[in-house]
């Protein structure tokens, strides 16, 4: 007697958390799997074996990978290790340059942005650097020469000792009710009314007019009169070496004569310095360089002069001049990331903000709080118009999305169905499709050496997490010209490797023909897989950096470390007339599996045939694209299917049909 047939036509929800094994009421349950190791979900609904990797070079140590694209033909992989930056083009080392980032912590924490042929890197303990390329082998790293660094009054023991600025004002031909203005450093006061013989009123009118200027602080201006001369003292937080004031008559016969008695010295100092620390985050937005979260001013954001990235002159507040704004909140929200998307977005340790105005100008800049999750110090990424960021605990991935109907942003969890795969990431990188795939992948490098891959096509309902495992720990990734590179710790050495969809082993070496494969010193003592002329040969142990094949090959030979894909389906459940059967024993009678260009697939320990006896048993296996059926045995409560592989062949699963006896 036959059983009940049930199909799983897609795996678009990927691996889900074990805590969801009982949620048979969710549609997600029937589009997900219990485990998805060494596979990538594809937008069309299936899962394929993740690419193997080609060995490129041994790195100088642990560090960070970044991509640099000068143009479509000149793209580079940058490898940052302690005090060094190595540059690779077409997988060939071009040069090594000394750097100021001398610890792994600094390398992981610095912010990295690119514009044309220039890279800017910021870190709160290192003066910002500009990296420039003049040729493949000529790269320079220099400190940025900022002009008009923003000033700030820290008012502490390390602050400069202020000296009062003293200027005088003498009025001539003045009558009660005459109106005048004062100009200080190019900024005009509001109209001031001369109050005749009321000296106290004149003193206060002058003081308040000058104190209200943007060029002075909130306090520190005082005025006194003696013998018809009004003495203006700019002290405390308003102490500064000002230009001499200029008086302008507005109405009446009044004249205003000014003089400087003593030049002042400000208590203000550079907001960024070796003493106060440096900006920790950076981005480009609306033709400005934005810097945020300096070490001593963790909640302040600065925007440069338009089209003059290193000039932070606030001037008189014209629309194109520099901007400085501090987040006004009831707690310290240290800026951990600033991102240019459809708006300028600010991610802090305690909340998420954005600047709704466009263009942003000094007169109308406003930073509005949105959600209060807080973000980790890992640079967010932009994908499909959304900004993805890591919640401050490092245990969740969120998307920051603007909602037109509410005219505000919301933060929505992307990892709610798979929080077990978010392992406190230290880096996040995005791949926006390639020549081989239209999939969007987000790579999350965990602090434990795991790599979690998130595939998203939001309009198609694809939100899938899978895990990437290898013989070692993945320490960093980068996408360069749509190609993924990894920095991997294997035993005690760090290797740079490049992902290739045509490879089915890791840290592989490719050789054209022969009976001996050399260049394997990085795999010394390791047991490796061997694939030659499209067929698998027996495993070998690398000795003296080489192996000898069982039989010589005329075509390509691939030698590398084994890794196996694994998919485990959700516990079987189907609603019958008497209710769901998740808690009843059942037996899978047959599994029909739709494969695509695949070989060597194993289903519940049963290997699917790749060849036909008497026809092609002596040929290299041809990739299979068809439904394959296998009969299975045994009763169980879960009735799951495990699909795996232990040979270096391609592997793509499109769908499953199960016949189950209940």
């Amino acid at each position: 007697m036959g059983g009940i047939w049930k199909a799983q036509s897609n795996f678009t929800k990927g691996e889900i958390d074990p805590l969801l094994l009982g949620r048979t009421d969710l549609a997600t349950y029937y589009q997900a799997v219990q485990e998805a190791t060494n596979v990538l979900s594809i937008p069309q609904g299936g899962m394929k074996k993740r690419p193997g990797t080609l060995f490129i070079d041994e790195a100088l140590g642990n560090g960070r990978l970044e991509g640099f694209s000068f143009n479509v033909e000149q793209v580079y992989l940058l490898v940052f290790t302690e005090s060094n930056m190595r540059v690779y083009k077409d997988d060939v080392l071009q040069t090594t340059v000394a750097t100021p980032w001398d610890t792994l912590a600094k390398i992981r924490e610095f912010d990295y942005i690119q514009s044309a042929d220039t890279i800017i890197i910021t870190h709160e303990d290192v003066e910002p650097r500009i990296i420039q390329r003049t040729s493949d082998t000529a790269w320079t790293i220099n400190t940025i020469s900022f002009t008009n660094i923003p000033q700030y009054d820290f008012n502490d023991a390390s602050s400069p000792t202020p000296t009062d600025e003293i200027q005088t004002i003498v009025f001539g031909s003045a009558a009660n009710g005459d109106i005048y203005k004062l100009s200080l450093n190019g900024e005009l006061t509001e109209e001031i009314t001369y109050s005749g013989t009321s000296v106290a009123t004149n003193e206060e009118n002058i003081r308040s007019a000058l104190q209200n200027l943007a060029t002075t602080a909130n306090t520190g201006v005082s005025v006194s009169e003696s013998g018809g001369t009004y003495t203006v003292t700019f002290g405390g937080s308003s102490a500064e070496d000002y230009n001499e004031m200029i008086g302008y008559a507005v109405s009446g016969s009044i004249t205003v004569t000014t003089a400087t008695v003593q030049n002042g010295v400000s208590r203000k100092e550079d907001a960024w310095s070796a003493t106060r620390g440096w900006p920790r985050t950076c981005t480009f937005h609306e033709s400005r360089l934005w810097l945020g979260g300096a070490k001593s001013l963790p909640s302040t954001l600065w925007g440069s002069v338009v089209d003059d990235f290193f000039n932070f002159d606030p001037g008189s507040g014209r629309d194109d001049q520099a901007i400085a704004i501090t987040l006004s909140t009831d707690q310290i929200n240290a800026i951990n990331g600033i991102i240019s998307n459809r708006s300028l977005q600010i991610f802090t340790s305690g909340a998420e903000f954005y600047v709704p105005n466009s263009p942003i100008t000094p007169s109308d800049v406003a930073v509005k709080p949105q959600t209060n999750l807080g973000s980790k110090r890992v640079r967010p990424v932009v994908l499909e118009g959304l900004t993805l960021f890591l919640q401050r605990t490092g245990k969740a991935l969120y998307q920051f999305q603007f909602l037109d109907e509410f005219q505000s942003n919301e933060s929505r969890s992307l990892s709610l169905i798979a929080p077990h795969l978010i392992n406190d990431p230290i880096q996040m990188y995005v791949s926006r499709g390639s020549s081989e795939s239209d999939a969007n992948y987000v790579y999350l490098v965990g602090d434990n050496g795991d790599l979690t891959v998130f595939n998203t096509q939001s309009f198609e309902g694809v939100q899938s997490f899978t895990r990437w495992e290898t013989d070692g720990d993945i320490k960093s990734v980068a996408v360069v010209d749509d190609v993924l590179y990894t920095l991997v710790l294997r035993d005690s050495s760090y290797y740079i490797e490049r992902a290739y969809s045509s490879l089915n082993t890791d840290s592989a070496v490719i050789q054209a023909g022969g009976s001996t494969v050399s260049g394997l010193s990085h795999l010394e003592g390791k047991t490796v897989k061997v694939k030659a002329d499209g067929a698998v040969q027996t495993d070998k142990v690398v000795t003296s950096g080489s192996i000898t094949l069982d039989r010589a090959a005329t075509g390509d030979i691939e030698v590398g470390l084994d890794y196996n894909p694994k998919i485990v389906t959700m516990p079987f459940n189907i609603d019958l007339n008497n209710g769901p059967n998740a808690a009843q024993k059942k037996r899978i009678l047959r599994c029909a599996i739709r494969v695509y260009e695949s070989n060597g697939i194993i289903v519940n320990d049963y290997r699917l045939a790749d060849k036909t006896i008497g026809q092609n048993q002596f040929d290299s296996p041809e990739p299979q694209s068809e439904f394959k059926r296998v009969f299975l045995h045994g009763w169980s409560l879960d009735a799951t299917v495990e699909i795996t592989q232990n040979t270096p062949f391609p592997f793509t699963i499109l769908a499953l049909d199960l016949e189950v006896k209940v």
Side-chain angles (χ1 to χ4, degrees):
M1 180 178 177
I4 300 169
W5 281 94
K6 181 173 176 60
Q8 182 165 353
S9 61
N10 69 81
F11 308 93
T12 53
K13 299 305 179 184
E15 179 177 328
I16 64 173
D17 193 275
L19 294 176
L20 291 172
L21 291 182
R23 293 299 306 272
T24 57
D25 59 313
L26 298 176
T28 295
Y29 185 95
Y30 304 97
Q31 299 172 311
V33 295
Q34 283 190 76
E35 182 178 342
T37 300
N38 285 328
V39 293
L40 298 174
S41 62
I42 55 180
Q44 292 76 15
M47 284 186 171
K48 66 178 181 180
K49 189 176 185 178
R50 58 103 168 155
T53 61
L54 181 71
F55 172 74
I56 301 300
D57 196 4
E58 182 173 351
L60 297 175
N62 199 358
R64 174 171 169 177
L65 307 183
E66 288 290 349
F68 176 84
S69 297
F70 181 67
N71 54 41
V72 294
E73 295 179 351
Q74 293 171 299
V75 294
Y76 304 87
L77 173 69
L78 307 184
V79 182
F80 293 91
T81 54
E82 292 180 1
S83 301
N84 286 284
M85 179 187 78
R86 280 188 163 179
V87 180
Y88 291 82
K89 181 185 178 186
D90 298 329
D91 301 339
V92 176
L93 177 63
Q94 303 295 311
T95 187
T96 302
V97 185
T99 75
W101 305 286
D102 54 3
T103 67
L104 179 62
K106 291 177 182 176
I107 292 167
R108 286 180 172 175
E109 291 173 358
F110 68 52
D111 222 6
Y112 174 104
I113 57 172
Q114 176 196 343
S115 176
D117 62 347
T118 298
I119 298 165
I120 293 175
I121 294 182
T122 57
H123 185 280
E124 65 181 10
D125 292 324
V126 181
E127 190 170 359
R129 293 304 202 269
I130 180 171
I131 303 177
Q132 292 178 303
R133 167 206 169 276
T134 53
S135 72
D136 291 345
T137 58
W139 297 68
T140 59
I141 301 179
N142 296 305
T143 56
I144 296 177
S145 297
F146 290 109
T147 57
N148 302 300
I149 292 177
Q151 299 296 292
Y152 187 79
D153 182 7
F154 290 96
N155 192 21
D156 60 19
S158 299
S159 298
T161 301
T163 299
D164 294 347
E165 169 92 5
I166 301 174
Q167 298 190 30
T168 59
I169 303 173
V170 176
F171 299 104
S173 304
N176 186 38
D178 285 354
I179 298 175
Y180 64 97
K181 289 185 177 183
L182 295 171
S183 172
L184 181 66
N185 280 21
E187 186 177 0
L188 279 171
T189 65
E190 297 293 330
E191 293 182 350
I192 308 172
T193 301
Y194 184 74
S195 189
T197 58
S198 179
V199 171
T201 301
N202 284 329
E203 290 175 342
E204 176 56 24
N205 287 346
I206 295 169
R207 187 207 66 79
S208 62
L210 292 171
Q211 195 76 80
N212 288 334
L213 291 177
T215 49
T216 60
N218 293 327
T219 61
V221 178
S222 62
V223 181
S224 63
E225 186 271 346
S226 177
T229 298
Y230 290 83
T231 299
V232 182
T233 301
F234 300 89
S237 59
S238 290
E240 189 77 63
D241 184 10
Y242 295 105
N243 296 327
E244 190 172 288
M245 291 185 291
I246 301 173
Y248 298 93
V250 176
S251 66
S253 59
I254 190 171
T255 62
V256 183
T257 304
T258 61
T260 298
V261 176
Q262 177 175 293
N263 292 322
V265 175
S266 176
R267 194 173 67 189
K268 296 177 183 178
E269 60 187 290
D270 289 350
W272 323 316
S273 65
T275 302
R276 300 299 181 178
W278 308 96
R280 60 206 305 246
T281 60
C282 55
T283 197
F284 293 107
H285 183 75
E286 292 186 346
S287 300
R288 299 181 191 266
L289 171 64
W290 293 86
L291 301 173
K295 188 171 186 177
S296 297
L297 296 169
S299 301
T300 301
L301 181 70
W302 296 271
S304 72
V305 173
V306 172
D307 291 325
D308 192 357
F309 293 144
F310 303 142
N311 185 356
F312 286 82
D313 182 8
S316 58
R318 295 197 308 267
D319 285 355
D320 63 341
Q321 292 180 319
I323 297 171
I325 186 169
T326 298
L327 306 181
S328 298
T329 59
D330 58 0
Q331 63 181 10
I332 296 294
N333 283 312
I335 297 175
N336 285 330
I338 44 179
I339 295 295
S340 175
N341 201 336
R342 63 183 291 175
S343 61
L344 185 65
Q345 301 169 344
I346 302 100
F347 297 88
T348 78
S349 56
E352 295 71 55
F353 301 79
Y354 88 121
V355 181
N357 311 79
S358 182
I360 303 172
T361 65
S363 61
D364 66 1
V365 60
V367 180
K368 293 189 175 182
Q370 299 296 283
T371 55
N372 58 357
L373 295 167
S375 66
K376 188 181 177 185
R377 182 68 188 99
V378 172
R379 186 172 179 83
V381 298
V382 176
L383 185 63
E384 296 183 313
L386 308 175
T387 303
L388 278 57
F389 70 97
L390 290 163
Q391 196 256 356
R392 67 179 182 275
T393 62
K395 300 299 182 184
L397 177 67
Y398 278 82
Q399 70 178 24
F400 194 62
Q401 179 180 5
F402 186 80
L403 301 178
D404 285 321
E405 58 182 315
F406 299 113
Q407 289 296 294
S408 64
N409 294 274
E410 70 167 11
S411 294
R412 181 178 299 174
S413 175
L414 296 173
S415 58
L416 184 63
I417 62 174
H420 66 300
L421 294 181
I422 310 298
N423 298 308
D424 200 12
I426 57 176
Q427 187 186 24
M428 181 162 54
Y429 229 100
V430 64
S431 172
R432 301 175 182 86
S434 69
S435 60
E436 297 178 344
S437 172
D438 57 349
N440 296 321
Y441 293 117
V442 179
Y443 301 96
L444 302 164
V445 181
D447 68 344
N448 60 353
D450 289 346
L451 180 63
T452 297
V453 185
F454 176 57
N455 175 26
T456 176
Q457 293 278 350
S458 58
F459 293 109
E460 302 300 327
V462 178
Q463 288 189 334
S464 170
F465 287 91
T466 60
R467 63 176 86 193
W468 183 314
E469 294 181 353
T470 187
D471 179 22
D473 294 332
I474 297 175
K475 297 300 184 180
S476 181
V477 301
V479 177
V480 183
D481 196 26
D482 300 328
V483 175
L484 176 71
Y485 287 84
T486 61
L487 178 65
V488 187
L489 171 63
R490 302 191 189 278
D491 296 328
S492 58
S493 298
Y494 294 88
Y495 299 130
I496 304 163
E497 299 175 5
R498 172 177 176 163
Y500 273 99
S501 61
S502 59
L503 295 181
N504 291 281
T505 58
D506 280 342
S507 205
V509 169
I510 303 298
Q511 180 176 301
S515 58
T516 301
V517 179
S518 57
L520 299 171
S521 58
H522 65 291
L523 298 177
E524 185 69 25
K526 295 278 191 180
T527 299
V528 293
K529 291 288 183 182
V530 181
K531 186 177 178 182
D533 293 330
V536 178
Q537 295 193 17
T538 57
D539 295 352
K540 298 293 180 181
V541 176
V542 177
T543 305
S544 299
S546 66
I547 62 167
T548 300
L549 275 62
D550 293 339
R551 58 186 181 276
T554 58
D556 285 343
I557 306 169
E558 175 185 343
V559 178
L561 297 171
D562 187 30
Y563 71 93
N564 296 320
K566 184 179 179 181
I567 299 171
V568 180
T569 62
M570 299 296 290
F572 185 87
N573 177 72
I574 190 169
D575 290 334
L576 302 174
N577 291 334
N578 59 347
N581 63 355
Q584 300 177 22
K585 278 196 171 184
K586 43 205 160 282
R587 172 189 168 193
I588 300 177
L589 300 175
R590 283 184 291 178
C591 173
I593 179 170
R594 170 70 75 176
V595 301
Y596 178 76
E597 296 185 352
S598 303
N599 294 114
I601 292 175
I602 300 170
V603 179
N604 283 17
D605 297 326
Y606 293 91
R607 186 179 296 275
L608 303 182
D610 289 326
K611 300 180 180 180
T612 303
I613 295 176
Q615 294 183 20
N616 61 354
Q617 68 266 37
F618 299 113
D619 300 330
S620 298
E622 293 291 331
Q624 308 288 301
S625 297
E626 59 184 351
F627 256 126
K628 289 183 173 289
R629 296 192 301 174
V630 60
F631 289 87
L632 303 176
H633 304 284
W635 291 80
S636 70
L637 285 174
D638 286 343
T640 59
V641 174
E642 179 182 297
I643 309 167
T644 186
Q645 185 189 57
N646 57 17
T647 49
F649 282 122
F651 171 110
T652 301
I653 308 300
L654 299 182
L656 289 175
D657 280 351
L658 301 180
E659 183 184 14
V660 181
K661 180 73 172 180
V662 296

